[in-house]
Amino acid sequence: MDDYPLLNLFLTMLYLFLWVMWFFLLFKVITDLFRDHSLNGWAKAGWLVLVILLPYVGVLIYLIVRGRSMHERDEKLAKDSEAAFRDYVRRAGAAGTEGGSGGNGHVNDLAKLAELKDKGAINAEEYEQAKAKLLA
């Protein structure tokens, strides 16, 4: 370790970091290229050839020319994913409160049974029978 100065170690770490970040940027550009539905196949092929044959220049040109629309596509994807998640949660919550096959249906039914038992509408034996029937 004595023949490798500290500054060279820091420079090596910096180069490694920049190299890894370059690959992240390259993959981001390629995934954005294939995700864009406004480009036809020839335009996508042209951009891909440019990015692969002249990687640094091609990626920089892509970012300059299509950087703003790249951000808009990312934003649209995030909004669509959030809307799909909210819709899933809403449907899952509705299925659970209906008492159907959702996991929350049994919980709600057991809570109603416990409430009926506490009010005295059913006795302990009826409560246990109904609970066993629900959990079966």
Side-chain angles (χ1 to χ4, degrees):
M1 241 3 226
D2 293 333
D3 58 342
Y4 200 68
L6 187 62
L7 180 61
N8 286 350
L9 178 67
F10 287 137
L11 287 176
T12 302
M13 288 176 22
L14 177 68
Y15 293 150
L16 182 64
F17 174 75
L18 291 175
W19 186 66
V20 169
M21 291 310 296
W22 166 251
F23 276 108
F24 276 118
L25 184 60
L26 181 65
F27 292 140
K28 177 73 175 164
V29 165
I30 290 173
T31 56
D32 181 68
L33 185 62
F34 285 106
R35 187 176 30 187
D36 186 11
H37 299 294
S38 66
L39 290 177
N40 62 15
W42 288 106
K44 288 181 183 183
W47 276 112
L48 192 61
V49 166
L50 181 67
V51 167
I52 290 175
L53 292 181
L54 300 171
Y56 296 108
V57 175
V59 168
L60 290 176
I61 291 172
Y62 187 87
L63 290 176
I64 291 169
V65 173
R66 301 185 48 84
R68 183 177 304 272
S69 61
M70 190 174 172
H71 169 71
E72 292 168 356
R73 281 186 293 281
D74 282 343
E75 190 174 325
K76 183 183 181 304
L77 180 67
K79 285 181 182 178
D80 290 346
S81 296
E82 184 178 350
F85 175 72
R86 288 180 186 266
D87 184 49
Y88 170 76
V89 169
R90 192 175 306 115
R91 282 186 285 120
T97 58
E98 291 172 359
S101 62
N104 284 343
H106 294 305
V107 172
N108 290 337
D109 291 342
L110 286 173
K112 288 177 187 175
L113 280 174
E115 185 178 326
L116 288 173
K117 179 183 161 200
D118 292 341
K119 288 182 180 178
I122 58 174
N123 61 21
E125 184 180 320
E126 293 170 333
Y127 170 77
E128 291 299 327
Q129 288 175 352
K131 184 172 92 170
K133 185 177 177 183
L134 272 176
L135 297 177

mmCIF file of all heavy atoms in Angstrom, residues 76-100:
data_model
loop_
_atom_site.group_PDB
_atom_site.id
_atom_site.type_symbol
_atom_site.label_atom_id
_atom_site.label_comp_id
_atom_site.label_asym_id
_atom_site.label_seq_id
_atom_site.Cartn_x
_atom_site.Cartn_y
_atom_site.Cartn_z
ATOM 1 N N LYS A 76 -45.341 10.828 -15.872
ATOM 2 C CA LYS A 76 -46.583 10.142 -16.244
ATOM 3 C C LYS A 76 -46.580 8.707 -15.720
ATOM 4 O O LYS A 76 -47.594 8.220 -15.206
ATOM 5 C CB LYS A 76 -46.764 10.141 -17.759
ATOM 6 C CG LYS A 76 -48.067 9.501 -18.214
ATOM 7 C CD LYS A 76 -48.145 9.474 -19.724
ATOM 8 C CE LYS A 76 -49.435 8.862 -20.202
ATOM 9 N NZ LYS A 76 -49.703 7.530 -19.722
ATOM 10 N N LEU A 77 -45.453 8.029 -15.820
ATOM 11 C CA LEU A 77 -45.356 6.660 -15.304
ATOM 12 C C LEU A 77 -45.582 6.626 -13.794
ATOM 13 O O LEU A 77 -46.287 5.752 -13.286
ATOM 14 C CB LEU A 77 -43.989 6.066 -15.645
ATOM 15 C CG LEU A 77 -43.746 4.636 -15.167
ATOM 16 C CD1 LEU A 77 -44.650 3.667 -15.917
ATOM 17 C CD2 LEU A 77 -42.295 4.268 -15.348
ATOM 18 N N ALA A 78 -45.010 7.587 -13.074
ATOM 19 C CA ALA A 78 -45.195 7.635 -11.623
ATOM 20 C C ALA A 78 -46.658 7.896 -11.263
ATOM 21 O O ALA A 78 -47.211 7.263 -10.355
ATOM 22 C CB ALA A 78 -44.301 8.706 -11.015
ATOM 23 N N LYS A 79 -47.316 8.810 -11.990
ATOM 24 C CA LYS A 79 -48.731 9.096 -11.722
ATOM 25 C C LYS A 79 -49.602 7.888 -12.037
ATOM 26 O O LYS A 79 -50.532 7.575 -11.287
ATOM 27 C CB LYS A 79 -49.185 10.303 -12.531
ATOM 28 C CG LYS A 79 -48.677 11.612 -11.995
ATOM 29 C CD LYS A 79 -49.171 12.783 -12.809
ATOM 30 C CE LYS A 79 -48.607 14.083 -12.262
ATOM 31 N NZ LYS A 79 -49.028 15.235 -13.053
ATOM 32 N N ASP A 80 -49.315 7.206 -13.147
ATOM 33 C CA ASP A 80 -50.094 6.021 -13.494
ATOM 34 C C ASP A 80 -49.909 4.908 -12.466
ATOM 35 O O ASP A 80 -50.862 4.235 -12.100
ATOM 36 C CB ASP A 80 -49.698 5.513 -14.884
ATOM 37 C CG ASP A 80 -50.139 6.444 -16.003
ATOM 38 O OD1 ASP A 80 -50.974 7.339 -15.730
ATOM 39 O OD2 ASP A 80 -49.644 6.279 -17.130
ATOM 40 N N SER A 81 -48.683 4.727 -11.988
ATOM 41 C CA SER A 81 -48.424 3.705 -10.966
ATOM 42 C C SER A 81 -49.144 4.031 -9.665
ATOM 43 O O SER A 81 -49.714 3.151 -9.020
ATOM 44 C CB SER A 81 -46.922 3.585 -10.703
ATOM 45 O OG SER A 81 -46.252 3.137 -11.841
ATOM 46 N N GLU A 82 -49.122 5.304 -9.287
ATOM 47 C CA GLU A 82 -49.811 5.705 -8.056
ATOM 48 C C GLU A 82 -51.325 5.533 -8.190
ATOM 49 O O GLU A 82 -51.985 5.062 -7.262
ATOM 50 C CB GLU A 82 -49.477 7.157 -7.719
ATOM 51 C CG GLU A 82 -50.076 7.608 -6.420
ATOM 52 C CD GLU A 82 -49.693 9.037 -6.060
ATOM 53 O OE1 GLU A 82 -48.819 9.605 -6.713
ATOM 54 O OE2 GLU A 82 -50.290 9.557 -5.108
ATOM 55 N N ALA A 83 -51.863 5.883 -9.354
ATOM 56 C CA ALA A 83 -53.303 5.715 -9.567
ATOM 57 C C ALA A 83 -53.684 4.235 -9.538
ATOM 58 O O ALA A 83 -54.718 3.864 -8.962
ATOM 59 C CB ALA A 83 -53.716 6.349 -10.893
ATOM 60 N N ALA A 84 -52.855 3.378 -10.134
ATOM 61 C CA ALA A 84 -53.139 1.945 -10.116
ATOM 62 C C ALA A 84 -53.071 1.397 -8.690
ATOM 63 O O ALA A 84 -53.899 0.564 -8.294
ATOM 64 C CB ALA A 84 -52.149 1.204 -11.011
ATOM 65 N N PHE A 85 -52.100 1.875 -7.902
ATOM 66 C CA PHE A 85 -51.994 1.428 -6.516
ATOM 67 C C PHE A 85 -53.212 1.871 -5.707
ATOM 68 O O PHE A 85 -53.787 1.086 -4.947
ATOM 69 C CB PHE A 85 -50.717 1.971 -5.882
ATOM 70 C CG PHE A 85 -50.588 1.648 -4.429
ATOM 71 C CD1 PHE A 85 -50.303 0.369 -4.006
ATOM 72 C CD2 PHE A 85 -50.779 2.638 -3.465
ATOM 73 C CE1 PHE A 85 -50.195 0.065 -2.672
ATOM 74 C CE2 PHE A 85 -50.676 2.344 -2.124
ATOM 75 C CZ PHE A 85 -50.392 1.056 -1.727
ATOM 76 N N ARG A 86 -53.616 3.124 -5.878
ATOM 77 C CA ARG A 86 -54.786 3.619 -5.143
ATOM 78 C C ARG A 86 -56.047 2.845 -5.535
ATOM 79 O O ARG A 86 -56.887 2.531 -4.692
ATOM 80 C CB ARG A 86 -54.979 5.111 -5.389
ATOM 81 C CG ARG A 86 -53.951 5.962 -4.704
ATOM 82 C CD ARG A 86 -54.205 7.443 -4.998
ATOM 83 N NE ARG A 86 -53.150 8.255 -4.471
ATOM 84 C CZ ARG A 86 -53.187 8.831 -3.284
ATOM 85 N NH1 ARG A 86 -54.233 8.669 -2.505
ATOM 86 N NH2 ARG A 86 -52.174 9.569 -2.871
ATOM 87 N N ASP A 87 -56.176 2.528 -6.827
ATOM 88 C CA ASP A 87 -57.333 1.767 -7.287
ATOM 89 C C ASP A 87 -57.322 0.366 -6.677
ATOM 90 O O ASP A 87 -58.356 -0.146 -6.254
ATOM 91 C CB ASP A 87 -57.325 1.691 -8.819
ATOM 92 C CG ASP A 87 -58.544 0.997 -9.363
ATOM 93 O OD1 ASP A 87 -59.672 1.352 -8.942
ATOM 94 O OD2 ASP A 87 -58.381 0.092 -10.206
ATOM 95 N N TYR A 88 -56.137 -0.248 -6.619
ATOM 96 C CA TYR A 88 -56.020 -1.577 -6.019
ATOM 97 C C TYR A 88 -56.402 -1.544 -4.543
ATOM 98 O O TYR A 88 -57.142 -2.407 -4.066
ATOM 99 C CB TYR A 88 -54.592 -2.104 -6.179
ATOM 100 C CG TYR A 88 -54.336 -3.346 -5.382
ATOM 101 C CD1 TYR A 88 -54.828 -4.579 -5.793
ATOM 102 C CD2 TYR A 88 -53.623 -3.297 -4.197
ATOM 103 C CE1 TYR A 88 -54.612 -5.720 -5.054
ATOM 104 C CE2 TYR A 88 -53.401 -4.433 -3.444
ATOM 105 C CZ TYR A 88 -53.895 -5.641 -3.882
ATOM 106 O OH TYR A 88 -53.686 -6.766 -3.133
ATOM 107 N N VAL A 89 -55.909 -0.539 -3.820
ATOM 108 C CA VAL A 89 -56.232 -0.426 -2.397
ATOM 109 C C VAL A 89 -57.723 -0.208 -2.217
ATOM 110 O O VAL A 89 -58.349 -0.802 -1.330
ATOM 111 C CB VAL A 89 -55.402 0.702 -1.747
ATOM 112 C CG1 VAL A 89 -55.909 1.026 -0.365
ATOM 113 C CG2 VAL A 89 -53.941 0.332 -1.706
ATOM 114 N N ARG A 90 -58.325 0.617 -3.058
ATOM 115 C CA ARG A 90 -59.756 0.883 -2.965
ATOM 116 C C ARG A 90 -60.562 -0.392 -3.221
ATOM 117 O O ARG A 90 -61.512 -0.695 -2.494
ATOM 118 C CB ARG A 90 -60.141 1.974 -3.970
ATOM 119 C CG ARG A 90 -61.520 2.533 -3.772
ATOM 120 C CD ARG A 90 -61.826 3.701 -4.716
ATOM 121 N NE ARG A 90 -60.826 4.742 -4.621
ATOM 122 C CZ ARG A 90 -59.998 5.081 -5.614
ATOM 123 N NH1 ARG A 90 -60.046 4.456 -6.768
ATOM 124 N NH2 ARG A 90 -59.126 6.050 -5.452
ATOM 125 N N ARG A 91 -60.166 -1.159 -4.261
ATOM 126 C CA ARG A 91 -60.885 -2.399 -4.561
ATOM 127 C C ARG A 91 -60.679 -3.438 -3.467
ATOM 128 O O ARG A 91 -61.599 -4.155 -3.110
ATOM 129 C CB ARG A 91 -60.432 -2.964 -5.907
ATOM 130 C CG ARG A 91 -61.056 -2.229 -7.084
ATOM 131 C CD ARG A 91 -60.727 -2.887 -8.410
ATOM 132 N NE ARG A 91 -59.347 -2.587 -8.765
ATOM 133 C CZ ARG A 91 -58.407 -3.508 -8.960
ATOM 134 N NH1 ARG A 91 -58.684 -4.774 -8.843
ATOM 135 N NH2 ARG A 91 -57.178 -3.162 -9.282
ATOM 136 N N ALA A 92 -59.458 -3.529 -2.931
ATOM 137 C CA ALA A 92 -59.185 -4.499 -1.868
ATOM 138 C C ALA A 92 -59.962 -4.140 -0.611
ATOM 139 O O ALA A 92 -60.473 -5.016 0.081
ATOM 140 C CB ALA A 92 -57.690 -4.564 -1.582
ATOM 141 N N GLY A 93 -60.056 -2.864 -0.303
ATOM 142 C CA GLY A 93 -60.815 -2.432 0.864
ATOM 143 C C GLY A 93 -62.299 -2.693 0.692
ATOM 144 O O GLY A 93 -62.984 -3.115 1.618
ATOM 145 N N ALA A 94 -62.811 -2.481 -0.525
ATOM 146 C CA ALA A 94 -64.229 -2.723 -0.786
ATOM 147 C C ALA A 94 -64.540 -4.208 -0.717
ATOM 148 O O ALA A 94 -65.578 -4.615 -0.202
ATOM 149 C CB ALA A 94 -64.616 -2.165 -2.157
ATOM 150 N N ALA A 95 -63.631 -5.053 -1.209
ATOM 151 C CA ALA A 95 -63.856 -6.509 -1.151
ATOM 152 C C ALA A 95 -63.842 -6.992 0.290
ATOM 153 O O ALA A 95 -64.581 -7.900 0.652
ATOM 154 C CB ALA A 95 -62.792 -7.242 -1.971
ATOM 155 N N GLY A 96 -63.010 -6.372 1.125
ATOM 156 C CA GLY A 96 -62.931 -6.792 2.524
ATOM 157 C C GLY A 96 -64.149 -6.404 3.315
ATOM 158 O O GLY A 96 -64.572 -7.127 4.216
ATOM 159 N N THR A 97 -64.770 -5.282 3.010
ATOM 160 C CA THR A 97 -65.937 -4.844 3.777
ATOM 161 C C THR A 97 -67.205 -5.525 3.318
ATOM 162 O O THR A 97 -68.202 -5.504 4.021
ATOM 163 C CB THR A 97 -66.125 -3.318 3.660
ATOM 164 O OG1 THR A 97 -66.257 -2.969 2.278
ATOM 165 C CG2 THR A 97 -64.954 -2.593 4.281
ATOM 166 N N GLU A 98 -67.172 -6.173 2.135
ATOM 167 C CA GLU A 98 -68.371 -6.856 1.666
ATOM 168 C C GLU A 98 -68.566 -8.205 2.351
ATOM 169 O O GLU A 98 -69.593 -8.827 2.222
ATOM 170 C CB GLU A 98 -68.270 -7.091 0.148
ATOM 171 C CG GLU A 98 -68.364 -5.822 -0.651
ATOM 172 C CD GLU A 98 -68.078 -6.064 -2.131
ATOM 173 O OE1 GLU A 98 -67.796 -7.224 -2.498
ATOM 174 O OE2 GLU A 98 -68.145 -5.112 -2.889
ATOM 175 N N GLY A 99 -67.553 -8.678 3.030
ATOM 176 C CA GLY A 99 -67.669 -9.973 3.687
ATOM 177 C C GLY A 99 -67.439 -11.118 2.720
ATOM 178 O O GLY A 99 -67.791 -12.240 2.994
ATOM 179 N N GLY A 100 -66.833 -10.817 1.583
ATOM 180 C CA GLY A 100 -66.578 -11.844 0.577
ATOM 181 C C GLY A 100 -65.365 -12.655 0.942
ATOM 182 O O GLY A 100 -65.095 -12.967 2.092
#
